[in-house]
Amino acid sequence: MTYETVATFAQQAGLIYFGLIFLAGSAYALWPRNGETFRQAARMPLDEEDL
């Protein structure tokens, strides 16, 4: 195994890994069941009372 082979494998594996992480995060954020939770979180700064 040469350095080039290992480097190519590591680059491709990293690309696939981070692509899957991105897709999982996007699916979680856009999943319909999570919509209300994110809407509430978005409204939190606006619903705060003055201190």
Side-chain angles (χ1 to χ4, degrees), residues 2-23:
T2 64
Y3 172 79
E4 288 81 18
T5 304
V6 174
T8 301
F9 175 75
Q11 290 171 355
Q12 290 175 349
L15 177 65
I16 291 168
Y17 174 74
F18 286 114
L20 290 174
I21 295 296
F22 174 78
L23 291 175

Side-chain angles (χ1 to χ4, degrees), residues 1 3-4 6 8 14-15 18-25 27-29 33 36-37 39-41 44 46 48 50-51:
M1 236 190 229
Y3 172 79
E4 288 81 18
V6 174
T8 301
L15 177 65
F18 286 114
L20 290 174
I21 295 296
F22 174 78
L23 291 175
Y28 176 77
R33 186 174 65 181
E36 185 58 31
T37 303
R39 271 190 285 287
Q40 288 177 353
M44 281 174 126
L46 303 173
E48 292 286 327
D50 292 333
L51 298 175

